Amino acid sequence: MATPNGLARIDTTHAEKKAAAKHENGICHDDSSAPVRAQNIDELHSMQRKRSAPTTPIKDTSASPFAVAVSDEDRRKQQLQSISASLASLTRETGPKVVRGDPARKGEAAAKTAPAAAPPPPQPHHHHHHHVAPTISVSDSSLKFTHVLYNLSPGELYEQAIKYEKGSFITATGALATLSGAKTGRSPRDKRIVKDEAAAQELWWGKGSPNIEMDEHTFLTNRERAVDYLNSLDKVYVNDQFLNWDPENRIKVRIISARAYHSLFMHNMCIRPTEEELESFGTPDFTIYNAGKFPCNRYTHYMTSSTSVDINLGRREMVILGTQYAGEMKKGLFGVMHYLMPKRRILSLHSGCNMGRDGDVALFFGLSGTGKTTLSTDHNRLLIGDDEHCWSDNGVSNIEGGCYAKCIDLSREKEPDIWNAIKFGTVLENVVFDEHTREVDYTDKSVTENTRAAYPIEYIPNAKIPCVGPHPKNVILLACDAFGVLPPVSKLNLAQTMYHFISGYTALVAGTEDGIKEPQATFSACFGAAFIMLHPTKYAAMLAEKMQTYGATGWLVNTGWSGGRYGVGKRIKLPYTRKIIDAIHSGELLTANYQKTEVFGLEIPTAIEGVPSEILDPINTWTDKAAYKETLLKLAGLFGKNFEVFASYKIGEDSTLTEEILAAGPKV
């Protein structure tokens, strides 16, 4: 039968009968469904995102008839008032008006506004400079809203970075590739600490110290500049997180930044709170103002470049201007922990840490190139952390919630754990990748040699969560001795452990103009001089005290050369070094026979299973014995010269401990 326009009529009765038959048989292949309940595309998009339900159970108020339950809305307002107080200028009546949510999603944040908070009370000044107090006034910033993107998830931060930050890309493995701008590393010469009365007495100042002073007025000038910049933006990222996995000694930190890259970096590197912990977070113990996209004022006192990284221990604040390198935040907080933790009789350490299946913990200290990451990453042991730790009366704990790994020349074969950790959620800094496939070329140094990956520690398969462990049994000091005169392994007494811990030795190989390569001795106090706040002997004394109290043994392990200096001898084979580390872990070396070396007076074992006995005493591997003795004395002289800056420092009331440490050094 034809339709009026001449086309054949479509017969649907057959299809309807077939569908009915299928329904009768209990089978239906029809994938149609009811239309969506959205009136427009925006409403459909809003339905796509499910609002996160609070995971915190309602607190039982039946125990107290006077207890007042805090509503979810009130809790959010308190949270925003706290953030407003953090962003408050010290020269204005109130903090900024802050509102939750992305300004690009208008209408979402209307009900999440908090009244502006009063500025924090002025802190007592501990310096003797007299400055006119600024007049409190109202500014244009008080008339606008500052949108707060609070503790965003990695997925949300990816969206922000890709949309708003040039140079952000998703790599083939799902990591977020970012650029840190002109600065691709830390700026230690632009890092300053307020020298108030307390800091003048407690911190290490002068020759050899990493601490460069500034006064409080200059800090407040830079703080004002940073806060004004952040308040001028449509939105800021706020992270409330923790440092230190030891629940009794954790620190609450707040990071306020202008970039999604910085927020995701700190999301990975700090300990991530639960929803319940966030709701009761309250006032932070320390706050970072990262205005790194904005330069400091070169006319400001103490400023020597457009970059300034400033720490005020009295105010518990850190200000970053003129550098977008994210590592400044990580290492700035590490420096703060080097100040706060010793006040609680807790030793802060720049070390790797792992634990055997039987609960035996080892600490690994070592500068770049010594094998700290390689040797502390052991598939037969659990990883507590790769870089920053605390040793308290409760045992050892990781300070961080993530890892910050070097990526230059990274390969799946050499570092499988790091390779596999570079996936969704990981931040890749300054790497180069194929513009089409997004495959990263880890050998490419076009942007910088200091390419990095920041990822949560749980991305490592054998990470121990929570990242805590019992008291260490072994303290391993690693040195890559390019002079070739240190033994592959030595057992240290307490005084020797303190001496070599304070020295922080390794030797690098550097090219000279005429092409000859000579070893260069490098010393970094406590294996992390750039981050310590107190005098190195204070950390060394705490280390010796804890080792003595809890029965830990110190070891010096040379991962460098044997049979001659660099260019003459050969590097000690990694399998031999692993056998040595295994013998330390197992306790085999505690019962070994030992002999003492000349000059350095080190105790070296006469035999280790799986390691050729002839390499255990370095003199055996040198063909030219006179050259060995000459090189040994040269290195001993370099140790002595480096230690001169520490020799006059007294620990406690007398100099007994200092003399004991000095006596443990090499005899020239």
Side-chain angles (χ1 to χ4, degrees):
M1 183 176 176
T3 61
N5 60 9
L7 296 175
R9 184 180 295 277
I10 298 173
D11 182 12
T12 61
T13 56
H14 179 65
E16 287 169 359
K17 287 176 181 177
K18 280 182 73 177
K22 286 179 181 177
H23 274 293
E24 287 172 10
N25 295 331
I27 302 171
C28 180
H29 297 287
D30 185 6
D31 61 355
S32 64
S33 61
V36 294
R37 295 189 300 273
Q39 300 300 312
N40 53 56
I41 193 68
D42 289 336
E43 191 175 336
L44 177 61
H45 286 169
S46 70
M47 293 170 66
Q48 182 187 25
R49 297 189 306 276
K50 182 180 178 182
R51 186 175 296 278
S52 298
T55 57
T56 310
I58 301 298
K59 295 201 170 41
D60 182 14
T61 58
S62 59
S64 171
F66 304 104
V68 179
V70 180
S71 69
D72 211 37
E73 184 180 348
D74 286 342
R75 196 176 282 118
R76 283 181 180 274
K77 282 184 179 178
Q78 290 171 5
Q79 204 173 58
L80 287 172
Q81 284 178 329
S82 173
I83 294 169
S84 176
S86 292
L87 280 166
S89 160
L90 301 179
T91 63
R92 302 200 177 97
E93 293 175 343
T94 63
K97 295 173 182 174
V98 293
V99 56
R100 282 280 287 268
D102 187 348
R105 293 175 180 170
K106 294 193 173 158
E108 282 186 18
K112 305 176 192 172
T113 310
Q123 301 290 320
H125 288 206
H126 300 294
H127 55 76
H128 300 292
H129 303 288
H130 297 285
H131 301 280
V132 177
T135 304
I136 302 294
S137 62
V138 176
S139 76
D140 287 347
S141 63
S142 65
L143 303 178
K144 66 179 278 290
F145 287 110
T146 299
H147 290 255
V148 171
L149 301 180
Y150 184 72
N151 275 51
L152 295 191
S153 67
E156 292 171 306
L157 290 168
Y158 266 52
E159 292 167 5
Q160 291 287 324
I162 297 298
K163 189 172 182 180
Y164 300 111
E165 295 178 15
K166 195 170 181 181
S168 299
F169 298 89
I170 300 175
T171 69
T173 61
L176 180 69
T178 64
L179 291 173
S180 65
K183 296 292 179 78
T184 58
R186 290 182 300 104
S187 303
R189 293 180 181 179
D190 295 311
K191 181 181 173 184
R192 293 171 180 81
I193 299 173
V194 173
K195 191 176 182 180
D196 57 22
E197 290 178 7
Q201 294 296 318
E202 296 172 338
L203 269 56
W204 178 26
W205 304 99
K207 186 179 179 183
S209 168
N211 301 321
I212 304 171
E213 68 175 272
M214 73 186 308
D215 61 39
E216 180 135 353
H217 181 264
T218 304
F219 174 85
L220 294 176
T221 301
N222 283 351
R223 181 192 186 277
E224 192 77 357
R225 190 172 176 90
V227 165
D228 281 349
Y229 168 73
L230 291 167
N231 286 335
S232 73
L233 303 175
D234 285 336
K235 63 186 175 188
V236 294
Y237 300 90
V238 178
N239 293 38
D240 280 349
Q241 295 182 252
F242 298 114
L243 296 177
N244 197 355
W245 283 83
D246 177 359
E248 292 181 22
N249 294 294
R250 72 181 183 184
I251 302 295
K252 298 186 293 183
V253 292
R254 172 169 291 165
I255 303 102
I256 305 173
S257 58
R259 291 193 62 181
Y261 148 49
H262 291 150
S263 185
L264 181 57
F265 178 91
M266 294 306 278
H267 169 88
N268 290 347
M269 294 311 303
C270 295
I271 299 166
R272 293 157 289 283
T274 64
E275 285 290 331
E276 184 175 2
E277 288 169 334
L278 268 185
E279 288 175 7
S280 58
F281 192 85
T283 304
D285 299 314
F286 198 88
T287 302
I288 293 178
Y289 300 94
N290 189 340
K293 292 180 73 174
F294 197 65
C296 66
N297 186 339
R298 291 290 298 274
Y299 285 100
T300 304
H301 189 39
Y302 294 102
M303 300 301 102
T304 55
S305 76
S306 60
T307 298
S308 191
V309 179
D310 310 325
I311 294 176
N312 189 325
L313 295 170
R315 291 186 59 86
R316 300 288 197 267
E317 292 178 339
M318 177 179 177
V319 170
I320 299 174
L321 291 163
T323 174
Q324 297 179 63
Y325 181 65
E328 294 286 10
M329 296 182 287
K330 166 189 158 65
K331 289 304 186 184
L333 288 176
F334 189 32
V336 170
M337 293 296 279
H338 271 311
Y339 173 75
L340 295 177
M341 292 297 101
K343 283 180 165 291
R344 303 185 184 187
R345 302 295 304 157
I346 297 170
L347 177 60
S348 47
L349 300 164
H350 188 212
S351 70
C353 182
N354 66 23
M355 186 178 82
R357 305 293 173 180
D358 296 329
D360 59 296
V361 169
L363 294 172
F364 291 82
F365 295 89
L367 302 180
S368 180
T370 59
K372 181 181 73 169
T373 302
T374 302
L375 295 172
S376 62
T377 304
D378 185 332
H379 290 280
N380 297 315
R381 297 172 66 83
L382 299 174
L383 180 70
I384 292 176
D386 74 329
D387 196 41
E388 303 175 9
H389 293 88
C390 286
W391 189 352
S392 71
D393 291 339
N394 299 329
V396 70
S397 57
N398 191 348
I399 289 174
E400 302 179 294
C403 302
Y404 193 34
K406 290 181 181 178
C407 290
I408 194 67
D409 296 325
L410 178 69
S411 69
R412 189 195 301 269
E413 295 72 33
K414 286 195 295 186
E415 300 286 358
D417 286 343
I418 296 174
W419 180 276
N420 293 327
I422 299 176
K423 56 187 179 181
F424 181 83
T426 296
V427 175
L428 273 176
E429 284 181 328
N430 301 316
V431 298
V432 176
F433 52 85
D434 184 281
E435 65 179 357
H436 174 60
T437 66
R438 296 295 197 263
E439 294 283 350
V440 178
D441 181 356
Y442 292 109
T443 65
D444 196 316
K445 307 173 187 176
S446 299
V447 179
T448 178
E449 192 168 325
N450 188 34
T451 52
R452 297 269 185 164
Y455 48 86
I457 193 165
E458 55 264 31
Y459 281 17
I460 299 295
N462 62 328
K464 183 184 180 301
I465 308 293
C467 303
V468 295
H471 297 288
K473 285 189 175 180
N474 293 294
V475 174
I476 301 169
L477 312 182
L478 301 170
C480 178
D481 178 29
F483 290 95
V485 295
L486 289 183
V489 61
S490 314
K491 186 171 74 169
L492 306 175
N493 59 36
L494 280 178
Q496 287 176 321
T497 303
M498 293 169 75
Y499 182 90
H500 288 280
F501 177 71
I502 293 170
S503 297
Y505 164 72
T506 195
L508 306 177
V509 177
T512 57
E513 288 183 11
D514 59 1
I516 299 171
K517 294 187 175 181
E518 292 284 347
Q520 289 187 341
T522 299
F523 297 93
S524 182
C526 307
F527 293 92
F531 321 118
I532 61 177
M533 292 277 188
L534 313 180
H535 195 276
T537 51
K538 292 190 176 181
Y539 299 105
M542 289 183 71
L543 177 62
E545 180 188 353
K546 291 192 180 297
M547 288 177 67
Q548 192 167 33
T549 302
Y550 301 109
T553 305
W555 307 90
L556 180 64
V557 174
N558 174 23
T559 62
W561 272 256
S562 178
R565 65 169 179 80
Y566 174 85
V568 179
K570 294 182 179 178
R571 188 153 192 184
I572 298 167
K573 293 179 179 178
L574 181 58
Y576 293 161
T577 303
R578 287 200 182 278
K579 288 286 186 183
I580 289 168
I581 298 297
D582 289 344
I584 290 172
H585 291 323
S586 69
E588 175 191 335
L589 286 188
L590 290 176
T591 58
N593 294 318
Y594 286 86
Q595 63 185 44
K596 186 174 282 191
T597 66
E598 57 180 349
V599 183
F600 277 83
L602 298 170
E603 297 279 343
I604 59 174
T606 56
I608 301 174
E609 187 178 346
V611 181
S613 297
E614 60 269 18
I615 76 166
L616 296 177
D617 189 345
I619 195 171
N620 296 334
T621 63
W622 282 64
T623 306
D624 188 340
K625 308 299 183 188
Y628 166 78
K629 186 68 179 287
E630 182 185 344
T631 308
L632 182 66
L633 291 173
K634 178 182 178 181
L635 182 59
L638 293 173
F639 265 86
K641 183 173 177 56
N642 172 71
F643 218 83
E644 287 174 1
V645 71
F646 311 117
S648 60
Y649 191 84
K650 292 183 179 180
I651 305 174
E653 297 299 320
D654 57 50
S655 60
T656 307
L657 192 53
T658 307
E659 291 169 1
E660 189 181 343
I661 298 171
L662 283 170
K667 310 293 188 298
V668 181

